[in-house]
Amino acid sequence: MFNAIVVGLDGSEGSRPALPLAAELAEKDGARLVLLHVDERIPAKGGVHPVRADEDQIRADLQEQARQLSERGIDASVEVVELILGGPAQAIERVAEREGADLIVVGRRGHAPVAGLLLGSVTQRLLHVARRAVLAAPPAD
């Protein structure tokens, strides 16, 4: 059913359930996985800096996860997009389009609807901008 699946991962607890779910689908269908991380950056005095202090660790973790998936026989690659202006949801959709993905899998934090509106949600925005199916993995218990 799926040929290519983009998995949006930001290193947060909320995004973690997306990968096992996507891997299960990829294994079942023989789909290719693209582990995607959007490295959001902010311009500041002295240059442009990552929003997250642990960007290097996130990238290393993604490489390790792709290696483990490959050992399981899943075609997995890592892509990191650096983004200064614009939303991560749009960047995820652009990569999915370029990769010919049938599906985008992301996590969600489990905020109540009002909190999600106030705090913002990449998953919620992705549901509005994506031109393909989006699967939101529920938070781990």
Side-chain angles (χ1 to χ4, degrees), residues 26-71:
E27 223 165 16
K28 179 181 163 208
D29 292 346
R32 178 173 55 89
L33 283 183
V34 177
L35 282 59
L36 172 62
H37 173 62
V38 178
D39 176 1
E40 294 181 88
R41 303 215 157 218
I42 51 173
K45 191 172 186 176
V48 179
H49 304 282
V51 170
R52 295 184 58 119
D54 59 347
E55 275 302 323
D56 291 339
Q57 186 61 51
I58 292 170
R59 290 177 188 223
D61 290 346
L62 288 175
Q63 291 295 338
E64 176 59 20
Q65 289 165 337
R67 185 192 66 72
Q68 290 174 8
L69 290 166
S70 294
E71 286 179 357

Side-chain angles (χ1 to χ4, degrees), residues 49-123:
H49 304 282
V51 170
R52 295 184 58 119
D54 59 347
E55 275 302 323
D56 291 339
Q57 186 61 51
I58 292 170
R59 290 177 188 223
D61 290 346
L62 288 175
Q63 291 295 338
E64 176 59 20
Q65 289 165 337
R67 185 192 66 72
Q68 290 174 8
L69 290 166
S70 294
E71 286 179 357
R72 287 174 47 189
I74 299 172
D75 180 6
S77 63
V78 172
E79 177 152 354
V80 176
V81 174
E82 289 185 5
L83 182 67
I84 296 172
L85 295 174
Q90 288 84 356
I92 293 168
E93 171 57 26
R94 281 193 300 273
V95 170
E97 178 71 26
R98 189 187 70 234
E99 293 291 333
D102 313 285
L103 177 68
I104 298 170
V105 180
V106 290
R108 59 185 184 86
R109 289 195 167 91
H111 292 304
V114 173
L117 286 172
L118 295 174
L119 299 173
S121 167
V122 173
T123 301

Side-chain angles (χ1 to χ4, degrees), residues 88-91 93 122 124-132 134:
Q90 288 84 356
E93 171 57 26
V122 173
Q124 187 171 13
R125 183 71 185 134
L126 191 54
L127 291 172
H128 293 282
V129 301
R131 293 180 297 227
R132 68 209 77 250
V134 176

